[in-house]
Amino acid sequence: MRKSTFLNSKMFLPAALTAGIILASGFFASCKKNDESVVKVGILHSLSGTMEISETPVKDAELLAIKEINEKGGVLGKQIKVVIKDGKSDSQTFAEKARELLEEDNVVTVFGCWTSASRKAVKPVFEEKYGLLWYPVQYEGMEASPNIMYMGASPNQQVVPAIDYCAQKIGKKMFLVGSDYVFPKTANKIIKAQLNELDGKCLGEEYVPMGHSDFSSIIAKIQETKPDVIINTLNGDSNTYFFKQLIEAGINSKKIPVMSFSIAEEEISQIGADYLKGNLVSWNYYESTPTPTNEKFVKDYKMEYGSDRETGDPIEAGYIGVYMWAAACEKAGSFDVEAVRIAAKGLSFTAPEGTVTIDGSNQHLYKQVRIGIINEAGKIDEIWATSGAIKPDPYLSTYAWARGIEED
């Protein structure tokens, strides 16, 4: 396939990646190996390990979108056949499985990853093999690759407005807690630069390994420094331990609220509303987002997977990615990566969160920002939102205070 020239040479940082394979069952099982009436796509998520709690529901949403598209006749007259791989919450495994998907399974595109560590592990593989990854999660920015479509928020669509909100509504003394990898560290560089611009203070900055379960020493520092708000960039099941231990230490949302960037409805259902009620989150979509498209999406998702299942921002972004890919293929009249990538520029989709559009200059979405509060029932109530979709600015080039910030 022909490689294209992308806008910014800064965007071409190589990366190494993964691959693995499991054929999906059910309506996919009837697809035969060399059947020309099908087109193969990959799904690559952590279906085991610390990130299973977050990534399995995204995989389910992607499968739901594929099922819906197949029931409507497929893409370019072909039924979508799925090859599923488990990244096992491990960056090296993600790289290996990505390579398998592209080299051995010959999929035309891949939907997957969650953590920035996994995305960065697969990025060089997709660039080397000229594949196309549809990435469904908000992230730290400072990246744009011709081989990745970014369906989640860039930092100006989540982190920056959340810090502004906290500074205006709660206070400017903040304590930063995150998992020890690229997203929390780069996000916190952004936050510290923003706090400096706001005349705020960072009272502490702590990182723990993925899957970490003992937060006693960090909570002691929080009690000692008395921040106005805790900024949480933990990922995976570490969130369960952190919030439970905060409550055990007598810190609830009324004493010190927490603003989280990786806790959505599914994580709330796993952790428990009693531990999270009153705390804040920043996303682009909630299960409660009042659009006609979302009403149908929530109904269909629960009908497919159970009434106790919750939707959430990365789940919806995974769903968006599949539909955007299908629309780009139809527009291009081809499954070829370069043709699909070019066709995707400026493409819009009426998503559950509202209309989203791919910015052709960086392959991120225009998205509306929504800040929510977790209620006693474990749902998220929107308490603030931008008036419309915000242009993605992954390098924060429009913020003077962000000059010089690089990814960790």
Side-chain angles (χ1 to χ4, degrees):
M1 298 181 188
R2 177 172 60 88
K3 293 192 178 183
S4 69
T5 301
F6 210 54
L7 283 182
N8 192 331
S9 61
K10 185 178 185 180
M11 300 170 180
F12 289 104
L13 302 175
L17 199 39
T18 82
I21 192 169
I22 301 171
L23 252 60
S25 59
F27 61 94
F28 307 111
S30 61
C31 300
K32 296 180 181 179
K33 186 174 181 181
N34 296 314
D35 191 342
E36 292 186 358
S37 68
V38 304
V39 58
K40 287 200 296 184
V41 305
I43 287 180
L44 176 57
H45 283 297
S46 295
L47 308 179
S48 59
T50 186
M51 291 306 300
E52 177 185 2
I53 180 178
S54 295
E55 293 193 59
T56 297
V58 180
K59 176 264 297 179
D60 290 342
E62 290 159 352
L63 289 176
L64 175 62
I66 290 168
K67 178 181 178 181
E68 292 173 351
I69 292 169
N70 277 341
E71 289 175 345
K72 294 173 185 175
V75 183
L76 295 176
K78 296 180 183 288
Q79 290 286 290
I80 305 169
K81 180 180 179 181
V82 182
V83 180
I84 302 178
K85 305 273 187 181
D86 181 6
K88 299 182 179 179
S89 303
D90 175 74
S91 297
Q92 182 177 344
T93 301
F94 265 94
E96 293 167 358
K97 298 302 178 185
R99 189 169 292 278
E100 285 176 19
L101 285 168
L102 297 174
E103 290 184 347
E104 299 176 18
D105 303 314
N106 297 312
V107 300
V108 298
T109 201
V110 177
F111 308 97
C113 298
W114 177 296
T115 67
S116 289
S118 66
R119 188 194 68 255
K120 286 186 176 297
V122 305
K123 178 174 174 282
V125 178
F126 280 91
E127 291 176 346
E128 174 196 340
K129 308 305 296 184
Y130 214 69
L132 190 61
L133 172 69
W134 298 78
Y135 179 63
V137 187
Q138 44 64 245
Y139 81 117
E140 70 284 351
M142 310 300 154
E143 177 183 297
S145 167
N147 300 94
I148 300 176
M149 293 288 182
Y150 302 82
M151 300 292 100
S154 58
N156 73 304
Q157 298 167 320
Q158 187 200 32
V159 173
V160 173
I163 297 303
D164 277 338
Y165 180 89
C166 288
Q168 293 172 22
K169 303 291 186 179
I170 303 171
K172 298 181 181 180
K173 295 184 295 182
M174 303 186 187
F175 195 104
L176 314 181
V177 180
S179 297
D180 190 7
Y181 75 102
V182 61
F183 165 61
K185 290 189 173 181
T186 304
N188 286 341
K189 284 183 180 179
I190 293 168
I191 292 167
K192 288 184 290 185
Q194 187 177 358
L195 280 175
N196 186 60
E197 175 71 11
L198 295 170
D199 292 324
K201 290 184 178 180
C202 174
L203 301 183
E205 182 178 3
E206 297 288 333
Y207 299 97
V208 298
M210 295 289 287
H212 189 73
S213 60
D214 183 2
F215 289 89
S216 55
S217 62
I218 292 176
I219 291 172
K221 292 177 182 178
I222 292 171
Q223 290 172 317
E224 180 182 353
T225 56
K226 297 180 175 61
D228 296 320
V229 60
I230 300 165
I231 306 298
N232 171 32
T233 50
L234 294 170
N235 262 272
D237 57 10
S238 289
N239 278 298
T240 302
Y241 302 108
F242 178 61
F243 281 98
K244 288 184 177 180
Q245 289 168 35
L246 277 178
I247 294 297
E248 290 168 1
I251 300 175
N252 58 30
S253 60
K254 292 181 180 179
K255 290 187 176 180
I256 309 176
V258 181
M259 168 65 81
S260 296
F261 299 139
S262 295
I263 290 180
E265 287 87 342
E266 186 67 23
E267 287 78 17
I268 295 169
S269 70
Q270 298 288 331
I271 297 168
D274 288 345
Y275 298 103
L276 293 169
K277 60 186 179 183
N279 286 307
L280 303 170
V281 293
S282 178
W283 292 104
N284 310 111
Y285 163 87
Y286 302 116
E287 185 172 285
S288 59
T289 297
T291 70
T293 305
N294 187 43
E295 184 177 346
K296 182 180 185 304
F297 171 60
V298 172
K299 178 182 177 182
D300 291 346
Y301 186 83
K302 290 178 182 288
M303 185 175 295
E304 187 73 16
Y305 299 114
S307 59
D308 60 330
R309 292 289 297 273
E310 308 287 345
T311 64
D313 189 289
I315 292 170
E316 187 243 6
Y319 183 83
I320 289 173
V322 176
Y323 271 97
M324 280 291 203
W325 166 78
C329 291
E330 293 285 354
K331 182 180 175 182
S334 171
F335 296 113
D336 178 79
V337 167
E338 179 68 355
V340 169
R341 193 183 76 77
I342 297 302
K345 292 176 179 288
L347 196 65
S348 293
F349 174 62
T350 303
E353 69 184 71
T355 300
V356 294
T357 303
I358 296 178
D359 187 326
S361 68
N362 56 38
Q363 297 181 177
H364 292 65
L365 291 182
Y366 280 74
K367 297 173 80 74
Q368 188 171 10
V369 185
R370 295 178 166 95
I371 291 174
I373 188 168
I374 301 167
N375 65 32
E376 292 186 354
K379 305 297 183 181
I380 299 173
D381 298 322
E382 184 180 305
I383 56 175
W384 180 88
T386 55
S387 59
I390 302 300
K391 178 181 172 63
D393 183 9
Y395 289 96
L396 296 177
S397 58
T398 58
Y399 297 85
W401 54 260
R403 290 174 188 159
I405 294 176
E406 298 288 344
E407 64 186 1
D408 195 79

